[in-house]
Amino acid sequence: INLSFGGFTPTGADARVDGDVLLENRTILAFDVNDFNTGSVGLEWLLPVGEFFEVGAGVGYTSRTVPTVYNNFVNRNGAEIEQDLRLRITPMTATVRVLPFGRSRTVKPYLGAGVGFFNYRYSEVGDFVDFTDRSVFTDRFVASGTETGPVALAGIRFPLGDTWSLGGEVRYQKAEADLSEDFLGPKLDLGGFHYLMTVHI
């Protein structure tokens, strides 16, 4: 059993997919893609295959709510027009690890790759500007689903007694979702990096 906890950094603004909803929203809302940096936790079951390989199946969780306001618009009373952007991603992964120095070594570096099934929920909740007449209305827009994409990882484990190991891992995921016309952008980039501490039992 492999437990992990750490942080998740979404794909940066300069590398996100064309038409990404966060990039489009940044043209009218006051926030940055880095505001979606958040915690990451995971649970993975690993099965050794010979001396140099492991296969794994796991699930993780990340979630972040970013409050924001319109850049160039306010209510008639001068108050900010406020909105919450929320992104939750639950990665379910199947991976293969290579241990180049073998499982019998005390310190075990590894490289791995696999496929991820990324269940997501993205929402925009709060007040919106109708640009046809500049009126302000309250609403919420939600997109959810599951997308598939590649996963790559690298890490190292150090022994702590006979049955425990501690380590670190960097994990990359890549996927994108199609959004409806309710959103300013037609795409949602689900990619990014997980920086994790691991507890191997």
Side-chain angles (χ1 to χ4, degrees), residues 12-69:
D14 61 337
R16 298 183 73 80
V17 63
D18 291 340
D20 175 67
V21 67
L22 297 186
L23 294 183
E24 298 298 330
N25 280 338
R26 287 182 70 217
T27 64
I28 60 171
L29 299 175
F31 74 97
D32 191 79
V33 173
N34 290 337
D35 294 337
F36 284 89
N37 293 357
T38 186
S40 174
V41 295
L43 174 66
E44 192 169 24
W45 177 72
L46 298 174
L47 178 67
V49 181
E51 175 68 10
F52 296 98
F53 295 93
E54 293 176 341
V55 295
V59 62
Y61 181 83
T62 70
S63 181
R64 183 71 168 176
T65 298
V66 174
T68 185
V69 297

Side-chain angles (χ1 to χ4, degrees), residues 13 16 57 61 66 84 100 117 128 130 133 141 177 184:
R16 298 183 73 80
Y61 181 83
V66 174
D84 285 339
F117 304 91
F128 298 80
D130 185 335
D133 60 7
F141 301 95
L184 194 60

Side-chain angles (χ1 to χ4, degrees), residues 18 21 28 65 69 75 77 80 82 94 103 116 120 154 156-157 160 163 171 175 188 195:
D18 291 340
V21 67
I28 60 171
T65 298
V69 297
N75 278 296
N77 62 3
E80 297 283 7
E82 300 178 346
R103 295 176 46 78
Y120 70 92
I156 191 168
R157 296 198 299 258
L160 188 67
T163 59
R171 181 176 293 226
L188 173 62
Y195 300 94

